[in-house]
């Protein structure tokens, strides 16, 4: 799959096979994450890797009961690390670290897709609750969770807005 095929192949999958992810596949996903751009190359985020079933279930509850998450063999939790972007003041602490972590999620999704794995971005969750469950160090802010596994469903494709509505050519 080339990049454009991978981009088109990615879709949110919310059911996973009870099959482990090979360690090498995970390593390649982590490496892809590490190649993502970041403000000032500070990489102001950290990624928690959750495999433990009880913890995944707690995270799913914190994600407003999105229980399908717990069916994935691995859940990555992307946490913005404002202190690492402190050099950029409020913009670093409030925006850049969140953007860094967000780009990393996108890289992880595409890498997983290229490896034949399925993911679903989870953004709806109680941040305080997730931080408590993972015992995150003070200041770290969970911004997205990403269950990864072999897909057990092929959902219909979601529609997209027409480009003409989104892309603004300024004369
Ligand atoms: C910021 C963000 C938050 C999201 N939160 C959730 C979520 O909490 N639960 C969920 O099932 N999907 C979530 N999604 C996935 C979207 O629903 C999905 O990407 C969108 O419907 C387009 O479908 P596709 O991913 O299959 O192309 C989220 C996606 C993004 C980018």
């Amino acid at each position: 799959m080339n990049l454009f095929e991978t981009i088109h192949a990615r879709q949110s999958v919310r059911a996973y096979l009870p099959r482990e992810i090979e360690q090498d596949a995970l390593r390649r996903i982590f490496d892809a994450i590490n190649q993502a751009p970041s403000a000032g190359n500070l990489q102001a985020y950290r990624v928690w890797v959750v495999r433990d079933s009880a913890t995944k279930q707690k995270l799913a509850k914190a994600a407003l009961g999105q229980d399908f998450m717990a069916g994935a063999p691995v859940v990555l939790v992307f946490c913005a690390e404002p202190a690492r972007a402190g050099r950029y003041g409020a913009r670093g602490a409030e925006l850049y670290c969140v953007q860094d972590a967000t780009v990393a999620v996108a890289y992880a999704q595409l890498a997983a897709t290229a490896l034949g794995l399925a993911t679903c971005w989870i953004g709806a969750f109680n941040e305080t609750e997730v931080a408590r469950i993972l015992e995150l160090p003070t200041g770290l802010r969970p911004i997205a969770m990403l269950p990864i596994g072999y897909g057990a469903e092929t959902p219909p494709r979601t529609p997209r807005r027409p480009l003409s509505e989104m892309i603004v050519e300024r004369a």
Side-chain angles (χ1 to χ4, degrees), residues 10-12 14 66 68 120-124 158 160:
R10 187 214 58 77
Q11 63 177 152
S12 296
R14 298 178 178 87
Q66 299 191 69
F68 71 86
C120 183
W121 191 307
I122 304 290
T158 49
R160 289 296 185 267

Side-chain angles (χ1 to χ4, degrees), residues 4 34 63 83 132 135 140 151 153 165:
F4 294 95
N34 203 21
R132 190 192 61 75
E135 299 177 325
L140 283 196
E153 63 168 16
E165 195 182 294

Side-chain angles (χ1 to χ4, degrees), residues 117-130:
L117 290 159
T119 64
C120 183
W121 191 307
I122 304 290
F125 58 83
N126 181 319
E127 283 188 27
T128 309
E129 194 54 20
V130 168

Side-chain angles (χ1 to χ4, degrees), residues 8-9 12 40 51 71 79 81 108 123-124 132 141 167:
H8 280 272
S12 296
R51 305 167 198 265
C79 303
E81 193 174 5
R132 190 192 61 75
R141 181 180 176 199
I167 308 293

